[in-house]
Amino acid sequence: MRFAFLIPPMLLVAACGQQDKASDSPEISINAGDKDGGVQITTGKDGSGKIKIGGNGGGIDINVPDFVDFDVTGDFDIDGVKLYPGSHVTTVNVDAQDKAGADNATVQLGFTSPATPAKAADWMAGEFAKKGVKITRSGDALAGTDKDGDAFTINFAPDGAKSKGDVRIVSK
């Protein structure tokens, strides 16, 4: 199984923050696999989680309380550009598959932002320009390609006086 290298870090992450309250944690879903099996990790808002590892000849299915407590928002960036200050990641979905020898991955993040969509999009467009990352803008949506060649989109939508949005990164 090509994604077996993910197993040790996942088990270490499972031990993180066991004593901390995880009610503000994002919901996380990771699905990685190939023709021989896969790994699935899910967490809930309460921090509880589940790890499933399956493959030819066997599998593991583990419930893990207080699964994860790490700073997705603080650690996330695209070529050094973070989300608008004060934003909070609410969901993380990773789908990585090896099909016919080609690794494909899609990462999607949902987030909230304290700024209006236009203000948050303006700020992020400016930050990408400072880093030399070319983007296109359509309304309050940004699109571009990072320095590794991965395509990304960032969409902002109104949420009262603030905004919510999503980031999608596609790697092939």
Side-chain angles (χ1 to χ4, degrees):
M1 180 170 57
R2 198 168 205 181
F3 295 102
F5 68 91
L6 293 171
I7 296 168
M10 287 185 264
L11 295 175
L12 289 173
V13 168
C16 292
Q18 291 291 321
Q19 73 282 4
D20 297 332
K21 187 175 179 182
S23 63
D24 206 19
S25 297
E27 293 179 9
I28 299 174
S29 172
I30 299 172
N31 181 28
D34 61 18
K35 64 179 177 45
D36 295 320
V39 176
Q40 294 177 331
I41 303 171
T42 56
T43 70
K45 281 280 188 197
D46 64 355
S48 64
K50 183 175 237 19
I51 298 174
K52 286 185 176 183
I53 303 168
N56 294 337
I60 300 171
D61 191 345
I62 305 169
N63 287 320
V64 183
D66 295 328
F67 179 68
V68 59
D69 186 23
F70 61 96
D71 185 11
V72 175
T73 303
D75 292 337
F76 171 79
D77 73 76
I78 297 174
D79 289 343
V81 176
K82 294 190 175 286
L83 293 172
Y84 183 86
S87 294
H88 178 73
V89 174
T90 57
T91 61
V92 178
N93 295 302
V94 178
D95 186 17
Q97 301 294 319
D98 177 0
K99 294 182 181 173
D103 291 334
N104 298 307
T106 301
V107 177
Q108 293 179 280
L109 286 90
F111 64 90
T112 58
S113 176
T116 63
K119 184 175 181 180
D122 286 344
W123 183 87
M124 288 194 75
E127 294 298 303
F128 281 119
K130 289 178 189 176
K131 300 288 186 181
V133 178
K134 294 184 184 195
I135 59 156
T136 57
R137 183 167 177 178
S138 176
D140 296 325
L142 309 175
T145 303
D146 70 12
K147 292 177 181 171
D148 294 326
D150 300 333
F152 67 87
T153 57
I154 305 170
N155 297 296
F156 298 90
D159 187 22
K162 301 175 182 182
S163 61
K164 60 184 175 182
D166 64 84
V167 176
R168 181 179 171 95
I169 303 168
V170 179
S171 173
K172 294 187 181 200

